[in-house]
Amino acid sequence: MSVRRKDADGSLVVLFSTEQARATTNPYLTQLYRSLPLPVEQRHFSMRAALLSRYDVLHLHWPEYLLRHPGRLGTWAKRLCALLLLARLRLCRTPVVRTLHNLQPHESHGAIERWLLARIDRATRRWIRINATTPARAPATDTILHGHYRDWFAGLPRPAPERGRLLHFGLLRRYKGVEALLAAMHGLDDRGVQLRICGRPADDAIGQAVQDACRRDPRISAELAYVDDATLAREVGLAELVVLPYRQMHNSGTLLLALSLERPVLAPWSEANAAIADEVGPGWVHLYDGELEPALLARTLAWVRNVPRGTVPDLSRRDWDAIGRQHHRSYLAALGRGVEARA
């Protein structure tokens, strides 16, 4: 059975491995969906649709979530369905396009999941890397940079920054280093500095650690929940410095969101972060090696106060209209049609 379409205008059906956009959907995905040109007919994921419907390309984001379920039986059911999907893709010769958000999943769920993910990798015909420092993968890799969030937050009120206010925001996960930030804050002997934590904890232990820190130190406060866009724009706007002390940092939408709202960021050195620092211009991304220390927080706050007023980060390479067109070309290239989408 063939599901290829030969429309001369580049029309094609793309099934995304993600659900229809809603209020809590990652804004990267929502902006991607909106940016795709009209020849792309979008479908969103259900296993029934993946196994039984007709589509030209399967576009995978975070494929590990296709294999995971809170319950043991649910997990095994999803793994079996993934095997059936791989067989269906091979039988119908449907190409897989895969966006590389991470070099590997942030949490490991065992050998069977790793084996299935390796099979998905082998089925991938075209890779999309969202920063140019990600190693290219065979058989073909396109570079399509992660888009900015300026349009997403346009029109929302944004207050002026408060002197000495630090912010850490986003889903609170182990690898993001919030415990190290809390420890550094406790060690900072400056009553004029305050730390705000804003985001939903991934597990109870992280939430408890933040709550304990708030009780111990009146300079620390937290909103331990998912927040809407207006609240997030306000929280980022109030920050003098956004601190992202991740243990692993390769692609970070949180970093780009802070820059889109014109707030400087302190983050660990990585090749990807160094490339963004060079791209956006001096004074916006401050990088460090080693552990996050109290003195580093103090020094960085002093440095950000020297950023010339009136300057903004240069995010001109991350326009969503261009990103949508590049994705369309990548889909066509996966089908053996059109030109490649390399940036």
Side-chain angles (χ1 to χ4, degrees):
M1 176 176 67
S2 174
V3 294
R4 305 280 176 82
R5 291 153 43 124
K6 302 296 184 182
D7 299 12
D9 65 353
S11 296
L12 72 165
V13 177
V14 177
L15 177 66
F16 292 93
S17 67
T18 50
E19 297 179 348
Q20 188 80 33
R22 52 188 178 183
T24 57
T25 298
N26 185 325
Y28 170 87
L29 295 173
T30 304
Q31 292 185 102
L32 172 59
Y33 303 152
R34 293 175 180 175
S35 73
L36 292 170
L38 289 177
V40 178
E41 181 181 335
Q42 301 178 38
R43 306 269 179 85
H44 293 275
F45 197 83
S46 71
M47 189 55 72
R48 179 182 177 87
L51 292 174
L52 300 178
S53 70
R54 298 173 67 88
Y55 49 93
D56 297 299
V57 174
L58 174 62
H59 186 169
L60 291 178
H61 297 271
W62 302 286
E64 59 270 23
Y65 294 120
L66 296 181
L67 310 174
R68 295 177 182 176
H69 187 274
R72 186 172 181 179
L73 287 177
T75 296
W76 281 106
K78 294 190 80 169
R79 290 171 175 178
L80 176 59
C81 287
L83 283 172
L84 293 173
L85 176 57
L86 286 167
R88 188 261 191 212
L89 295 170
R90 185 169 59 252
L91 176 65
C92 298
R93 295 183 296 160
T94 303
V96 174
V97 173
R98 162 89 177 276
T99 297
L100 278 165
H101 292 278
N102 311 307
L103 296 178
Q104 60 272 324
H106 293 303
E107 298 92 7
S108 175
H109 283 235
I112 294 175
E113 180 178 282
R114 290 194 296 272
W115 178 79
L116 284 167
L117 289 173
R119 288 178 65 92
I120 293 171
D121 286 355
R122 289 197 294 272
T124 299
R125 191 172 302 177
R126 202 157 197 97
W127 302 84
I128 293 173
R129 58 182 182 179
I130 56 178
N131 81 68
T133 70
T134 302
R137 297 194 184 186
T141 300
D142 298 322
T143 302
I144 306 178
L145 295 182
H146 190 306
H148 60 65
Y149 293 91
R150 282 176 171 161
D151 301 334
W152 186 260
F153 288 99
L156 291 177
R158 193 187 328 157
E162 293 184 355
R163 186 179 179 88
R165 186 179 176 102
L166 308 175
L167 173 68
H168 179 84
F169 69 95
L171 179 64
L172 305 181
R173 299 171 74 176
R174 288 287 173 188
Y175 77 91
K176 293 186 177 182
V178 66
E179 296 95 337
L181 175 56
L182 294 171
M185 184 67 185
H186 287 314
L188 182 62
D189 188 20
D190 186 338
R191 298 296 100 184
V193 177
Q194 54 185 308
L195 171 63
R196 179 71 166 167
I197 306 291
C198 188
R200 179 174 62 83
D203 60 61
D204 292 341
I206 294 177
Q208 189 62 53
V210 175
Q211 291 173 343
D212 291 345
C214 292
R215 284 191 288 268
R216 289 174 52 201
D217 192 331
R219 299 173 301 165
I220 303 174
S221 64
E223 176 67 31
L224 296 180
Y226 170 83
V227 298
D228 61 23
D229 292 334
T231 302
L232 184 56
R234 179 179 182 277
E235 292 284 359
V236 176
L238 287 171
E240 188 174 23
L241 175 67
V242 172
V243 186
L244 305 176
Y246 293 17
R247 299 190 192 105
Q248 310 163 33
M249 200 165 188
H250 186 66
N251 292 311
S252 174
T254 305
L255 170 60
L256 290 170
L257 193 158
L259 294 172
S260 298
L261 291 174
E262 299 172 16
R263 290 297 176 264
V265 179
L266 175 64
W269 188 95
S270 69
E271 190 177 1
N273 286 350
I276 291 176
D278 290 341
E279 175 189 347
V280 301
W284 291 105
V285 181
H286 301 265
L287 303 177
Y288 66 93
D289 284 312
E291 299 299 317
L292 182 68
E293 300 289 345
L296 176 62
L297 294 176
R299 288 198 306 272
T300 309
L301 277 171
W303 290 336
V304 301
R305 290 166 186 159
N306 294 322
V307 175
R309 295 186 180 275
T311 64
V312 297
D314 181 2
L315 299 172
S316 57
R317 296 177 60 202
R318 298 172 182 272
D319 177 73
W320 280 102
D321 287 341
I323 288 168
R325 293 191 298 270
Q326 289 173 319
H327 275 80
H328 182 213
R329 291 198 296 269
S330 190
Y331 301 146
L332 293 175
L335 287 162
R337 299 156 52 190
V339 296
E340 297 187 353
R342 290 188 178 88

